[in-house]
Amino acid sequence: MSISIRKQTHAVRVGPVVIGGGAPIVVQSMTNTDTADVIGTARQIMELADAGSELVRITVNTEEAAKAVPEIVEHLVRNNYQTPIIGDFHFNGHKLLEKYPDCAAALSKYRINPGNVGKGKARDPQFQQMIEFACRYDKPVRIGVNGGSLDQAVLTRLLDQNRELDNPKPLAAITREAIILSALESAAKAEELGLGEDKIVLSCKISNVQELISIYEDLSSRCHYALHLGLTEAGMGSKGIVASSAALGVLMQQGIGDTIRISLTPEPGAARTKEVIVAQEILQTMGFRSFTPMVIACPGCGRTTSDYFQHLAQDIQTYLRDQMPVWRDKYKGVESMEVAVMGCVVNGPGESKNANIGISLPGSGESPVAPVYEDGVKTVTLKGDNIAAEFQALVEKYIESHYSPS
């Protein structure tokens, strides 16, 4: 498999996490709790961190939220969580950072949207004020442009210039350029105010896959800032997953991107952690990082009229992910392990042999036995009613014997 070399960007340190500079691509997520609810927000941050989120963003939109930030961080520290917390500011961030210095100090990073930092004459002073706070407290900043809240002053300027051309460009091209310029001009202004290039992360997020790819390809060619990737308002379920995977996969294959977030709309009752799992699976299936042992399983066909292998694959995958918080500190390299759960003899033995450990369950009309392979060699044949429990025990034994303690 050919993976493009990562494009060189400035390294930005956010607490113990490094974004850019050749560091592994970082997984981010965001809470959807009321930040003023200290316990509820801290609990969700811990859930996201347990799922593998390396940075977590929270909304800081009211005085109550700003007051809560130091308490949230203290609660995390008391529970042995070091996950950096990012403050997401819109409209009134300059006021909140000024009035609540403990909030400004407790956050690990600020997110500023140039389109929502202020209007008209108020924009530059308010943006300057937020950058000055970042400098004062030595905090990195993500300058995050969103297509839905684009700085209208930049767009208007470009449209006026475009009207003067003999061959005006289409509106879509002008809008793309406005999004990119909003980020680059804001970053340049931040540097003029004293914020180092090693404190700046840029993002230009919209909800159209092809437009997002074009914007980031252009942005990447015009700067060396660390870049945060994400398809904003990706949507629900499979639509959001597919759209995000398509957009981010194309960009990361070109070496573009230092940190990602999958902006899924949670399905009713679904865990917020789904976006973290999807981000990890995109990175792992593309070969950029490893987070948890991967389960290889066939889709099933007329040879697999029983759903036994489906249940076993699901149970094993859930088990492996649930164990990773413990295994991560205990077994070095276990996250790169592959486990195969196959449903019949056609591809079962072959895939099982190629995995670290695999099982080939019997399909329709086959002998009711399930050979298990470890590192390409058949080690045992399981049969009877306890195949699932016995195979899980074999997986545990394989991990204990093959991965040295960290």
Side-chain angles (χ1 to χ4, degrees):
M1 178 177 61
S2 175
I3 298 177
S4 297
I5 297 174
R6 297 272 302 286
K7 294 192 175 180
Q8 190 61 41
T9 56
H10 301 299
V12 179
R13 181 169 290 278
V14 186
V17 177
V18 177
I19 299 173
I25 299 171
V26 174
V27 173
Q28 294 195 32
S29 59
M30 186 174 183
T31 60
N32 62 354
T33 56
D34 179 356
T35 305
D37 176 3
V38 173
I39 300 303
T41 301
R43 183 182 298 116
Q44 191 174 78
I45 292 171
M46 291 188 286
E47 290 171 354
L48 292 166
D50 287 341
S53 184
E54 293 156 305
L55 298 172
V56 178
R57 182 158 48 110
I58 62 175
T59 297
V60 187
N61 59 335
T62 64
E63 292 195 16
E64 291 74 17
K67 290 177 186 176
V69 169
E71 296 180 57
I72 292 168
V73 173
E74 288 176 11
H75 189 86
L76 295 173
V77 171
R78 285 198 302 271
N79 285 276
N80 298 314
Y81 285 82
Q82 297 181 326
T83 309
I85 306 304
I86 304 165
D88 191 61
F89 294 101
H90 296 273
F91 310 112
N92 60 351
H94 59 295
K95 293 180 180 178
L96 296 176
L97 289 172
E98 180 177 30
K99 189 169 182 178
Y100 298 97
D102 288 347
C103 168
L107 291 167
S108 297
K109 181 166 161 260
Y110 308 155
R111 186 281 175 109
I112 304 173
N113 183 340
N116 289 339
V117 76
K119 302 288 186 183
K121 294 181 179 179
R123 182 197 180 282
D124 287 347
Q126 292 178 16
F127 179 80
Q128 176 174 337
Q129 192 172 357
M130 294 192 73
I131 296 301
E132 287 173 348
F133 282 118
C135 293
R136 180 184 307 172
Y137 293 100
D138 193 29
K139 305 294 183 181
V141 170
R142 171 159 73 92
I143 297 173
V145 179
N146 266 44
S149 52
L150 177 59
D151 188 339
Q152 293 303 302
V154 175
L155 180 59
T156 300
R157 186 182 83 218
L158 292 182
L159 287 172
D160 289 342
Q161 294 172 358
N162 191 53
R163 292 190 192 97
E164 302 299 322
L165 299 176
D166 294 333
N167 295 301
K169 299 176 181 178
L171 177 59
I174 300 302
T175 302
R176 286 196 300 270
E177 179 65 10
I179 291 172
I180 294 168
L181 273 186
S182 179
L184 293 176
E185 290 180 355
S186 296
K189 182 65 176 177
E191 286 200 59
E192 289 176 14
L193 295 168
L195 193 67
E197 57 192 12
D198 63 339
K199 296 287 186 182
I200 298 173
V201 179
L202 298 186
S203 68
C204 293
K205 298 168 75 172
I206 58 173
S207 57
N208 180 282
V209 170
Q210 293 293 352
E211 292 289 293
L212 186 84
I213 292 170
S214 295
I215 286 170
Y216 271 98
E217 287 174 341
D218 197 353
L219 177 64
S220 175
S221 71
R222 293 161 68 173
C223 74
H224 292 285
Y225 296 112
L227 299 181
H228 169 70
L229 302 185
L231 185 77
T232 192
E233 294 102 30
M236 295 182 71
S238 60
K239 184 270 178 183
I241 294 171
V242 170
S244 294
S245 301
L248 273 58
V250 169
L251 290 168
M252 291 189 295
Q253 190 66 20
Q254 297 180 69
I256 298 170
D258 302 292
T259 172
I260 66 172
R261 184 204 171 192
I262 309 301
S263 299
L264 294 179
T265 302
E267 297 180 2
R272 187 71 170 177
T273 53
K274 180 71 172 180
E275 66 177 53
V276 178
I277 294 171
V278 172
Q280 290 181 329
E281 289 178 345
I282 292 172
L283 291 173
Q284 186 152 351
T285 55
M286 291 192 69
F288 291 111
R289 292 187 65 182
S290 294
F291 296 94
T292 190
M294 295 289 284
V295 174
I296 301 164
C298 67
C301 66
R303 290 176 173 270
T304 56
T305 52
S306 168
D307 62 359
Y308 188 90
F309 84 98
Q310 298 167 356
H311 288 291
L312 179 56
Q314 183 179 51
D315 291 346
I316 289 293
Q317 184 163 283
T318 300
Y319 167 74
L320 294 172
R321 181 167 288 279
D322 288 347
Q323 290 299 309
M324 271 311 295
V326 176
W327 289 346
R328 191 175 292 117
D329 296 326
K330 189 175 181 181
Y331 298 115
K332 184 177 180 180
V334 67
E335 65 276 2
S336 63
M337 185 177 76
E338 291 186 348
V339 180
V341 179
M342 303 299 292
C344 81
V345 74
V346 173
N347 292 319
E351 290 289 358
S352 296
K353 290 177 182 178
N354 289 330
N356 295 102
I357 181 170
I359 186 170
S360 179
L361 294 163
S364 302
E366 296 176 25
S367 299
V369 296
V372 174
Y373 298 83
E374 296 183 17
D375 298 319
V377 178
K378 186 168 75 170
T379 56
V380 67
T381 299
L382 304 180
K383 60 182 70 176
D385 298 328
N386 296 315
I387 287 178
E390 291 174 5
F391 181 64
Q392 182 171 306
L394 289 172
V395 171
E396 294 174 359
K397 184 178 178 181
Y398 183 93
I399 291 169
E400 290 173 357
S401 63
H402 286 71
Y403 296 95
S404 61
S406 299

